[in-house]
C-alpha cells in the first residue's frame, strides 16, 4: 500500500485538501497526514485537525514532517497556485529528502514550481508513483503507540497460540516465522496506521 502526505493552505484550500484525502483513501492510498482533516481547534492562525493527537504547533508540524519522510509522495493542493508558508517549508523538506512532490496545479512561485511535478489528476499521480521504484524510507519516529501496541499484542497472541495449541494439519513453523517477520516490520519505525 502506498502512503501519501497532503500539504496546502488549510486557510484557503481546506475543502480541496479534504477532497484529496478522501480521494486518496478511495484509491487505496494511506494518508499519513492529515489523516482526518476536520478542523477541531486553532491556536492563533494555526489550525488543528481531528487527526492531530496533541495541540502543540511544533509537535504537530514535526509529526507532519515525519509523515513526509515516511511517505511515498507529497500531494500538494494549490488550486489557485497559492502555497502558504508552512506548505512552502514542507515542499522544501520533501525536496531535500527526495520525496516526489506532485500536484494538478503548479505553485505560482517560480522557485517552488521547480520542485513540483504537475499531473492531470490524483489518480494519475498514484499510478505514476506505484509504477516507480520504491525509495528506501529513512528511519524516523512516526508512530501511533496505541495501534502499534494493540497490533503487536494480537500478533504475539497468534504466535503463542500456534506454539501451544495444535492446529490440525497445519505446520506452525511457517506461520510463526511469518508472524515474527510481520511483528518486526510493524515495530520498525516509522509506523503509523489510521
Amino acid at each position: 500500500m502506498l502512503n501519501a502526505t497532503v500539504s496546502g493552505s488549510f486557510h484557503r484550500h481546506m475543502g480541496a485538501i479534504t477532497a484529496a484525502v478522501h480521494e486518496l483513501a478511495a484509491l487505496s492510498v494511506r494518508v499519513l497526514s492529515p489523516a482526518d482533516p476536520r478542523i477541531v481547534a486553532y491556536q492563533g492562525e494555526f489550525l488543528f485537525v481531528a487527526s492531530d493527537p496533541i495541540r502543540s504547533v511544533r509537535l504537530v508540524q514535526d509529526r507532519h514532517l515525519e509523515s513526509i519522510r515516511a511517505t511515498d509522495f507529497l500531494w500538494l493542493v494549490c488550486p489557485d497556485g497559492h502555497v502558504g508558508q508552512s506548505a512552502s517549508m514542507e515542499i522544501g523538506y520533501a525536496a531535500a529528502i527526495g520525496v516526489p512532490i506532485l500536484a494538478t496545479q503548479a505553485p505560482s512561485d517560480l522557485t517552488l514550481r521547480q520542485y513540483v511535478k504537475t499531473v492531470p489528476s490524483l489518480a494519475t499521480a498514484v499510478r505514476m508513483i506505484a509504477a516507480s521504484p520504491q525509495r528506501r524510507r529513512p528511519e524516523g519516529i512516526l508512530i501511533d503507540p496505541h495501534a502499534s501496541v494493540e497490533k503487536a499484542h494480537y500478533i504475539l497472541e497468534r504466535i503463542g497460540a500456534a506454539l501451544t495449541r495444535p492446529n490440525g494439519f497445519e505446520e506452525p513453523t511457517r506461520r510463526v516465522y511469518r508472524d515474527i517477520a510481520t511483528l518486526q516490520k510493524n515495530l520498525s519505525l516509522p509506523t503509523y496506521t489510521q
Side-chain angles (χ1 to χ4, degrees):
M1 173 181 269
L2 290 177
N3 294 321
T5 301
V6 178
S7 288
S9 171
F10 279 20
H11 286 280
R12 283 177 69 156
H13 305 129
M14 186 49 94
I17 289 169
T18 300
V21 169
H22 293 301
E23 186 176 350
L24 284 163
L27 292 166
S28 298
V29 176
R30 179 185 303 138
V31 178
L32 299 180
S33 182
D36 184 348
R38 292 175 294 132
I39 297 171
V40 294
Y42 63 92
Q43 181 178 338
E45 290 190 21
F46 192 89
L47 301 175
F48 293 100
V49 296
S51 55
D52 293 333
I54 47 170
R55 301 293 183 259
S56 162
V57 173
R58 173 67 187 260
L59 290 176
V60 166
Q61 189 61 46
D62 285 350
R63 187 185 170 290
H64 193 70
L65 294 175
E66 282 297 322
S67 295
I68 293 170
R69 185 192 235 340
T71 203
D72 294 298
F73 68 101
L74 177 66
W75 182 252
L76 178 64
V77 175
C78 58
D80 60 0
H82 172 79
V83 177
Q85 291 180 347
S86 295
S88 294
M89 177 183 71
E90 293 156 9
I91 291 169
Y93 183 76
I97 60 173
V99 171
I101 307 154
L102 305 166
T104 54
Q105 173 68 39
S108 300
D109 181 84
L110 178 61
T111 303
L112 293 178
R113 215 176 323 171
Q114 307 310 305
Y115 297 94
V116 178
K117 178 165 183 59
T118 57
V119 294
S121 69
L122 190 45
T124 301
V126 170
R127 283 193 303 275
M128 187 174 83
I129 295 298
S132 66
Q134 296 298 305
R135 70 181 190 90
R136 185 185 175 291
R137 291 188 182 108
E139 293 297 316
I141 58 167
L142 181 63
I143 189 166
D144 178 359
H146 300 293
S148 298
V149 168
E150 192 174 299
K151 193 168 193 175
H153 279 268
Y154 172 75
I155 293 170
L156 288 170
E157 286 174 6
R158 257 189 4 211
I159 291 170
L163 295 174
T164 58
R165 290 180 230 134
N167 200 14
F169 297 105
E170 184 183 356
E171 167 62 40
T173 306
R174 191 177 343 196
R175 181 175 178 193
V176 167
Y177 282 112
R178 188 174 55 236
D179 282 346
I180 289 171
T182 300
L183 184 61
Q184 287 173 331
K185 180 182 172 211
N186 288 341
L187 291 178
S188 69
L189 299 174
T191 304
Y192 190 77
T193 55
Q194 190 61 301

